[in-house]
């Protein structure tokens, strides 16, 4: 047997070597360079060779890291198409006003962030002056995801542009008065300016990826040509630690989203200190993005470093830059030239010699000031490179100094994220540094003045001319005046009014059947955007595959294994379904992009995202909040809902609380429908409200959350009584009485009102019959389609009362005159039905599935939680016994009879 140690690496190659002699020559050459010029020279040659191969299209794995230098050398930088001196003055004014706004607001204790925009100013200004397309030109313009903490700089620019006044700036973070500015990008609070909420870390990156992808989706489906729209996402290097920041990187490269650019402000600092104190975040991010298939452009060093790199004939400088950890780079920013000479240059004899050629001023210029993200030419070159790259998204890693230009008290200090103001002396020093015409006398009573060169100044004219050439102001949100979508034909909804007869139909299937009819509508069918996270078959949606197709930019390049079946897996370039794989976060990002298309692109789309109810609000509630902030519209559908209805799956699948979380979101209209006709009624009205003719005073910027169940049961016909639709939409109506159910109770029978939502109404109906037949009790059954909407209506009535207006809550109106106590039950924790307790005049109690779920049959799980029909009967008898309306002994007898 051959000794494994004797085997050479080349012999272990699974691929045959057609010319071993040539291979040996290459290896010998490498060995000779390493021996003669050192391993660093050998590594240099290998890197350059691999880069040449990559540029020539030779099929080799990419280098995951390049040297710690700029991707675009100074000699290759394109000329800036503009007046650099003018842009420098504009940027200086914006830096000043951003700092002044936060400092002036600090006296109110409302906080604010100064250092982030100070580091990123040129990253934004270069884009605004040369790249970011506005909405007044052709198409939809670009979509800008602004880093939340940089918002003061965006406000400062809007002030210079004339879109904001001093009064606005003085009300930064003070919105109650009406002229205030929200702390961060919040479209719901400032809907003419902000498009995308980004301050919840990590949501900006994933949203940007899926927005770029949705732009391609709309183009491929022929709804709107967005080939000229580009998505720009501005991120912090610390923000990239959030899992959502990187979760969709491979999607972006896999689908070739060259309409997307990430700009990561690498100031090496997060909120408390260095991002990678003992490592190098830029190199880490480069490897991560390159590994994911992105084009990477590094803009690390300013022009002052060119001289140093020219002196680096041995590669010692590049090696030293690669090995110095980020925290030490931050330290150099705050130390004198002597310290830098000793600690940085003193580690290598070649660098010691280099330092002898450098003045102290030169060293300080390089290590204190000169960064790629602080020079317009460097940023301009990076942006040009990003837009010219095709076939893959681009990430720009721009190195900056956090707190740049704010003075020694701010720059690179660990605490600068929490520092909210500059002193008057610091402002005066900043004025001198930026060469602004602000006089000492302008500081009245120690208050820093806002600066403005004048509405007709060369700076403002230049700024406005640049924006006009690029298609108008940015950022800007526009809701284009579009005609309401026509309502689908009534027959799609009316089909559910007659019920299912003897056929058992789960409400999940009822919803899917409704959507199948609605997507066939000639007027609005193409507007539907079905979104599912790799569970379409679970929800019975596989029949939509061949008819609608699953969106893929490549179409279907293979023959599907089930091609000979009726419901085969069909992908298409113009596919309508977004089947995202196992990513609830990605699916929600899809939903947000689709639900706000009416504003982003002037094209109303109707997304519905169907998911395991347990894995929606619990897992991605932060994105639901983002959705509400971004004024999204559409239908979220929590399928396989309830704590006891999803048989066998167990604790982490059993949803007993999603309506509680949904109730916390003011934009979410949360419904727990019991029957198919209720679903049809809610969806029909949702389409009217969000996409059609909303009633006066109705907010269109809402989204619906419907819980649907996978328990097949007979679907009853819609009752013919008046006011049923109103009750369904407001949250409560009487489904039947003991008499209408044919139970003929005695004239003096005790009576109780049973309120049930979702699948729980079936337990209430069974309990209704048992109470009548076994205990002589009359029960009326009510369908509570929305506990949350009932509560909100009641709270509005309370608020009206404080204003001196008399208004009776709908839940009290609906139950007015109903005899006996009220017992509410749902497949959720008691907190869900208890939302309405304080507004019910009758005695009120509830049953619910509190605690963790478990793996069991439905019947056993319901008995475990005490919500099955037998438990409802015992609870009803106990409630009546406390009132003296049945014998106390009946409660014990029932408990023993049912084995409770």
């Amino acid at each position: 047997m051959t000794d494994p140690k004797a085997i050479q690496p080349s012999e272990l190659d699974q691929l045959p070597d057609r010319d071993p002699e040539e291979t040996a020559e290459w290896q010998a050459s490498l060995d000779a360079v390493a021996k003669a010029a050192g391993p660093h020279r050998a590594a240099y040659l290998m890197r350059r060779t691999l880069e040449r191969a990559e540029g020539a299209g030779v099929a080799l794995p990419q280098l995951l890291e390049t040297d710690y230098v700029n991707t675009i050398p100074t000699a290759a930088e394109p000329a800036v198409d503009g007046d650099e001196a003018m842009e420098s003055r504009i940027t200086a004014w914006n830096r000043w006003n951003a700092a002044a706004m936060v400092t002036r607001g600090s006296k109110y204790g409302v906080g604010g962030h100064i250092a982030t925009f100070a580091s990123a100013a040129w990253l934004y200004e270069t884009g605004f002056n040369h790249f970011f397309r506005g909405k007044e030109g052709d198409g939809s313009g670009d979509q800008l995801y602004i880093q939340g903490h940089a918002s003061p700089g965006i406000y400062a620019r809007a002030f210079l542009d004339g879109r904001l006044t001093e009064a606005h700036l003085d009300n930064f973070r003070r919105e109650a008065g009406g002229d205030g500015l929200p702390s961060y990008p919040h479209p719901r609070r400032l809907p003419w300016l902000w498009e995308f909420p980004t301050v919840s870390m990590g949501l900006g990156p994933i949203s940007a990826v899926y927005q770029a992808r949705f732009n391609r989706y709309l183009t491929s489906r022929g709804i709107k040509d967005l080939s000229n729209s580009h998505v720009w996402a501005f991120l912090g290097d610390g923000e990239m630690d959030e899992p959502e920041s990187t979760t969709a990187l491979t999607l972006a490269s896999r689908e070739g989203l060259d309409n997307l650019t990430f700009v990561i402000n690498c100031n090496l600092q997060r909120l408390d200190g260095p991002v990678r104190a003992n490592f190098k975040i830029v190199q880490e991010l480069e490897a991560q993005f390159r590994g994911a298939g992105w084009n990477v452009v590094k803009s690390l060093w300013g022009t002052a470093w060119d001289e140093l790199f020219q002196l680096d004939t041995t590669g010692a400088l590049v090696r030293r830059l690669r090995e110095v950890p980020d925290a030490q780079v931050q330290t150099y920013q705050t130390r004198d030239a002597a310290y830098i000479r000793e600690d940085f240059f003193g580690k290598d004899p070649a660098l010691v010699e280099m330092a002898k050629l450098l003045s102290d001023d030169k060293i300080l210029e390089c290590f204190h000031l000169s960064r790629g993200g602080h020079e317009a030419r460097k940023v301009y070159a990076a942006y040009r490179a990003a837009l010219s790259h095709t076939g893959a998204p681009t990430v720009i890693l721009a190195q900056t100094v956090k707190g740049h230009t704010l003075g020694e008290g701010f720059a690179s200090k660990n605490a600068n994220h929490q520092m909210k103001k500059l002193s008057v002396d610091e402002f005066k020093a900043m004025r001198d540094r930026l060469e602004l015409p602000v006089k000492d006398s302008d500081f009245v009573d120690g208050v820093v003045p806002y600066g403005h060169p004048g509405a007709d100044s060369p700076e403002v004219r230049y700024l406005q001319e640049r924006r006009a050439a690029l298609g108008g102001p940015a950022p800007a949100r526009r809701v284009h005046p579009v005609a309401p979508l026509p309502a689908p034909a009534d027959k799609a909804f009316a089909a559910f009014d007659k019920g299912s007869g003897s056929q058992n139909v789960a409400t999940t299937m009822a919803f899917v059947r409704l959507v199948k009819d609605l997507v066939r509508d000639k007027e609005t069918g193409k507007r539907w955007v079905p979104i599912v996270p790799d569970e379409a078959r679970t929800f019975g949606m596989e029949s939509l595959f061949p008819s609608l197709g699953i969106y893929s930019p490549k179409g279907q390049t293979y023959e599907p294994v089930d091609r000979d079946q009726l419901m085969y897996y069909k992908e298409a370039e113009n596919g309508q379904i977004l089947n995202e794989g196992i990513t609830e976060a990605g699916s929600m990002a899809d939903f947000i992009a689709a639900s706000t298309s009416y504003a982003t692109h002037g094209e109303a789309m109707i997304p519905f995202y169907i998911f395991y109810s347990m894995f929606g609000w619990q897992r991605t509630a932060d994105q639901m909040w983002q959705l509400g902030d971004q004024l999204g519209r559409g239908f979220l559908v929590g399928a396989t809902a309830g704590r006891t209805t999803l048989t066998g799956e167990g604790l982490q699948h059993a949803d007993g609380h999603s309506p509680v979380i949904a109730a916390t979101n003011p934009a979410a209209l949360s419904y727990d429908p019991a029957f198919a006709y209720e679903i049809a009624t809610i969806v029909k009205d949702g389409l009217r409200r969000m996409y059609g003719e909303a009633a006066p005073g109705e907010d269109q910027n809402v989204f619906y959350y419907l819980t649907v169940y996978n328990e097949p049961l007979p679907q009853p016909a819609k009752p013919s009584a008046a006011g049923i639709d109103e009750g369904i939409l407001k949250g409560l109506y009487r489904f039947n009485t003991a008499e209408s159910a044919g139970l003929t109770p005695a004239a003096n029978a005790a009576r109780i009102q049973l309120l049930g939502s979702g699948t729980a109404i079936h337990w209430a109906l069974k309990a209704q019959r048992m109470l009548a037949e076994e205990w002589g009790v009359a029960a009326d059954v009510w369908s509570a389609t929305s506990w949350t909407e009932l509560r909100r209506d009641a709270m509005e009535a309370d608020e009206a009362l404080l204003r001196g207006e008399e208004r009776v809550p709908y839940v009290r109106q609906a139950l007015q005159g109903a005899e006996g106590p009220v017992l509410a039950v749902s497949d959720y924790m008691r907190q869900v039905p208890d939302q309405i307790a304080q507004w019910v005049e009758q005695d009120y109690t509830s049953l619910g599935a509190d605690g963790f779920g478990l793996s069991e049959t439905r019947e056993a799980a319901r008995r475990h939680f005490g919500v099955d029909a037998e438990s409802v009967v015992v609870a009803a008898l106990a409630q009546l016994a406390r009132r003296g309306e049945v014998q106390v002994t009946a409660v014990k007898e029932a408990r023993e009879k049912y084995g409770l």
Side-chain angles (χ1 to χ4, degrees):
M1 183 175 177
T2 304
D3 182 1
K5 295 180 180 178
I7 300 175
Q8 298 300 311
S10 59
E11 296 180 73
L12 295 174
D13 194 337
Q14 187 171 348
L15 301 176
D17 187 345
R18 69 179 187 181
D19 193 342
E21 185 176 344
E22 181 183 36
T23 304
E25 290 175 359
W26 276 76
Q27 293 171 337
S29 297
L30 181 63
D31 292 343
V33 171
K35 183 176 180 180
H40 298 301
R41 178 61 180 169
Y44 176 86
L45 291 176
M46 287 299 299
R47 283 181 176 277
R48 293 297 173 263
T49 303
L50 288 172
E51 288 169 359
R52 173 61 64 89
E54 182 181 323
V58 177
L60 284 173
Q62 282 191 334
L63 283 172
L64 292 186
E65 287 185 42
T66 59
D67 289 329
Y68 200 64
V69 296
N70 296 346
T71 302
I72 305 168
T74 300
E77 292 169 4
V80 177
D81 180 23
D83 186 332
E84 294 182 64
M86 181 68 74
E87 291 174 20
S88 182
R89 293 201 296 274
I90 291 171
T91 304
W93 282 119
N94 292 337
R95 287 181 181 278
W96 176 272
N97 287 323
M101 179 195 335
V102 177
T103 297
R104 287 169 66 135
S106 66
K107 65 181 179 181
Y108 301 105
V110 295
H113 300 286
I114 301 178
T116 295
F117 177 73
S119 67
W122 276 114
L123 303 181
Y124 291 105
E125 291 300 321
T126 303
F128 285 129
N129 288 326
H130 300 283
F131 295 96
F132 303 157
R133 283 173 288 211
K135 293 181 172 296
E136 295 174 3
D138 295 334
S140 299
D142 289 351
Q143 289 81 59
L144 308 181
Y145 288 78
I146 305 294
Q147 192 179 0
H149 292 151
S151 60
I154 308 304
Y155 290 140
R157 193 171 217 276
F159 169 65
L160 205 66
D161 194 15
R163 294 198 290 164
L164 293 176
T165 66
E166 286 194 14
H168 286 113
L169 301 192
D170 264 347
N171 283 312
F172 174 59
R173 292 195 169 202
R174 295 191 301 140
E175 301 177 73
D179 287 329
L181 299 178
S183 53
Y184 304 122
H186 294 304
R188 187 168 283 274
R189 293 303 185 201
L190 201 61
W192 61 267
L193 181 72
W194 297 120
E195 277 195 285
F196 308 110
T198 53
V199 78
S200 190
M201 296 296 174
L203 298 191
I206 188 174
S207 295
V209 170
Y210 280 88
Q211 181 66 59
R213 197 281 194 94
F214 189 72
N215 291 356
R216 291 281 172 86
Y217 170 88
L218 289 181
T219 301
S220 297
R221 293 194 55 217
I223 290 174
K224 187 170 185 177
D225 182 1
L226 297 171
S227 55
N228 287 327
S229 283
H230 200 84
V231 178
W232 300 82
F234 289 83
L235 320 167
D237 46 0
E239 181 179 3
M240 299 310 295
D241 283 345
E242 287 286 1
E244 294 86 355
S245 294
T246 56
T247 188
L249 297 188
T250 53
L251 167 70
S253 59
R254 184 170 67 246
E255 299 201 359
L257 298 181
D258 50 21
N259 60 337
L260 171 67
T261 297
F262 277 15
V263 182
I264 303 183
N265 177 17
C266 297
N267 58 32
L268 314 185
Q269 287 183 257
R270 54 190 182 197
L271 308 190
D272 288 333
V275 177
R276 292 289 184 274
N278 297 297
F279 306 92
K280 302 195 78 63
I281 186 60
V282 168
Q283 298 301 94
E284 179 182 321
L285 290 174
E286 179 183 27
Q288 190 171 20
F289 277 88
R290 279 181 170 270
W294 285 54
N295 175 45
V296 179
V297 177
K298 294 196 290 191
S299 183
L300 307 181
W301 308 109
T303 307
W305 281 83
D306 289 351
E307 179 184 343
L308 275 68
F309 289 125
Q310 288 300 314
L311 294 173
D312 185 28
T313 57
T314 65
L317 177 62
V318 172
R319 291 196 301 273
R320 181 65 178 141
L321 289 174
R322 283 178 60 87
E323 70 187 24
V324 174
D326 284 351
Q328 191 63 20
V329 173
Q330 183 179 332
T331 297
Y332 294 149
Q333 176 70 32
T334 64
R335 298 300 179 90
D336 60 18
Y339 178 89
I340 298 171
R341 284 182 186 276
E342 178 181 354
D343 191 85
F344 181 84
F345 292 97
K347 302 298 184 182
D348 188 295
L351 293 181
V352 171
E353 294 303 312
M354 179 188 293
K356 292 177 180 177
L357 304 175
L358 304 175
S359 68
D360 285 355
D361 286 345
K362 181 65 176 182
I363 289 175
L364 293 178
E365 180 187 13
C366 288
F367 283 84
H368 284 193
L369 301 174
S370 188
R371 300 290 187 274
H374 294 325
E375 294 188 14
R377 280 181 171 269
K378 303 292 185 187
V379 177
Y380 184 91
Y383 287 5
R384 278 280 171 236
L387 291 181
S388 63
H389 188 82
T390 59
T394 294
V395 59
I396 295 169
L397 303 175
Q399 188 161 264
T400 66
V401 174
K402 195 168 186 178
H404 183 60
T405 74
L406 296 180
E408 294 182 1
F410 265 85
S412 277
K413 294 299 176 66
N414 281 337
N416 62 21
H417 186 79
Q418 302 302 326
M419 298 162 71
K420 311 301 183 186
K421 61 183 179 179
L422 277 70
S423 68
V424 170
D425 288 341
E426 287 173 323
F427 265 110
K428 290 179 179 178
M430 181 182 177
R431 170 201 62 191
D432 297 339
R433 195 177 303 116
L434 297 176
E435 299 180 348
L436 290 172
V438 178
K439 301 187 293 291
D440 285 355
S441 59
D442 293 334
F443 292 82
V444 180
D445 296 328
V447 177
V448 59
Y450 295 121
H452 200 294
D456 196 40
S457 65
E459 292 89 343
V460 173
R461 289 202 306 272
Y462 180 89
L463 181 155
Q464 293 175 340
E465 288 167 2
R466 296 302 305 171
R467 288 312 314 157
L470 288 166
R477 182 178 183 272
R478 298 283 187 272
V479 179
H480 304 276
V482 294
L485 294 183
D490 273 342
K491 65 179 182 180
F493 306 102
F496 295 88
D497 289 353
K498 60 184 179 181
S500 64
S502 60
Q503 181 185 9
N504 289 338
V505 178
T507 52
T508 297
M509 183 54 63
F511 177 82
V512 172
R513 288 182 182 178
L514 174 61
V515 170
K516 286 173 63 177
D517 289 339
L518 293 175
V519 295
R520 295 191 187 104
D521 185 84
K522 292 182 179 180
E523 295 290 336
T524 60
K526 69 177 183 179
R527 301 282 173 179
W528 284 86
V529 184
I531 303 168
V532 60
D534 200 35
E535 287 279 6
R537 298 182 192 278
T538 301
F539 308 136
M541 291 175 59
E542 64 269 31
S543 62
L544 297 178
F545 289 168
S547 59
L548 299 184
I550 300 165
Y551 170 72
S552 169
K554 290 184 175 293
Q556 195 154 37
T557 62
Y558 60 92
E559 183 177 355
V561 66
D562 54 359
R563 182 63 182 86
D564 57 343
Q565 298 179 14
L566 181 63
M567 293 182 287
Y568 71 97
Y569 195 83
K570 177 186 175 183
E571 296 188 80
E573 290 183 45
N574 63 346
Q576 192 164 349
I577 301 169
L578 294 174
N579 191 320
E580 291 306 347
I582 305 174
T583 168
E584 284 82 7
S587 299
M588 267 307 301
D590 260 338
F591 186 88
I592 292 170
S595 69
T596 54
S597 179
Y598 73 93
T600 308
H601 298 306
E603 295 287 347
M605 304 300 289
I606 311 170
F608 79 87
Y609 165 33
I610 187 167
F611 49 87
Y612 261 77
S613 63
M614 183 69 165
F615 303 147
W617 286 89
Q618 174 170 289
R619 186 166 290 186
T620 57
D622 196 11
Q623 287 177 290
M624 272 78 162
W625 202 256
Q626 176 191 7
L627 168 65
D629 192 348
Q630 202 167 318
L631 310 176
R633 305 170 184 174
F635 296 95
L636 297 175
V637 183
T640 58
R643 181 145 280 163
T644 70
T645 306
L646 183 59
T647 56
E649 291 286 358
L651 186 150
Q652 289 197 339
H653 284 67
D655 172 26
H657 53 279
S658 68
V660 177
I661 308 175
T664 65
N665 192 310
L669 305 186
S670 178
Y671 286 90
D672 186 25
F675 305 124
Y677 67 79
E678 294 177 351
I679 292 172
T681 301
I682 294 165
V683 171
K684 180 180 179 180
D685 195 66
L687 290 172
R688 174 201 63 79
R689 176 170 179 171
M690 294 186 291
Y691 301 99
E693 297 284 357
E698 247 182 350
D699 185 4
Q700 283 190 283
N701 298 317
V702 295
F703 60 92
Y704 284 67
Y705 176 56
L706 281 72
T707 50
V708 293
Y709 299 80
N710 72 331
E711 185 172 14
L713 291 165
Q715 295 296 324
K718 186 176 183 177
S720 57
I724 293 296
D725 283 358
E726 180 188 29
I728 292 172
L729 299 175
K730 289 192 172 182
L732 183 68
Y733 69 95
R734 182 152 42 196
F735 175 72
N736 70 14
T737 63
E739 291 77 9
S740 67
L743 298 176
T744 60
N748 62 345
R751 187 172 289 269
I752 191 168
Q753 309 298 318
L754 302 180
L755 278 56
S757 68
T759 197
I761 201 170
H762 297 282
W763 321 331
L765 289 168
K766 182 179 178 182
Q768 178 189 44
R769 184 164 296 278
M770 294 170 67
L771 283 167
E773 295 176 351
E774 301 176 27
W775 305 99
V777 172
D780 300 337
V781 176
W782 300 69
S783 179
T785 55
S786 179
W787 309 100
T788 300
E789 288 307 298
L790 291 173
R791 175 179 175 82
R792 288 176 176 170
D793 171 81
M795 291 171 63
E796 289 174 6
D798 287 353
E799 292 169 6
L801 187 63
L802 292 176
R803 296 191 300 267
E805 305 170 18
E806 288 290 341
R807 218 194 88 187
V808 180
Y810 175 80
V811 64
R812 190 169 295 167
Q813 294 178 44
L815 291 171
Q816 188 173 15
E819 298 178 36
V822 171
L823 173 61
V825 60
S826 79
D827 204 9
Y828 296 94
M829 56 196 301
R830 289 178 63 180
Q831 187 174 339
V832 174
D834 283 353
Q835 290 181 85
I836 66 170
Q838 72 186 80
W839 293 281
V840 176
E841 293 182 316
Q842 294 89 340
D843 291 341
Y844 186 91
T845 193
S846 64
L847 297 175
D850 285 78
F852 288 115
L854 74 166
S855 299
E856 256 300 351
T857 64
R858 293 185 182 115
E859 293 76 14
R862 287 163 186 168
R863 176 56 58 90
H864 170 81
F865 286 109
V867 293
D868 59 354
E870 291 78 5
S871 299
V872 173
V873 170
V874 172
L877 293 174
Q879 203 171 356
L880 291 168
R882 286 194 295 271
R883 296 163 55 92
E885 297 179 19
V886 300
Q887 295 294 321
V888 174
T889 55
V891 180
K892 181 180 179 182
E893 184 182 346
R895 190 182 301 114
E896 293 174 350
K897 178 177 181 178
Y898 302 133
L900 297 181

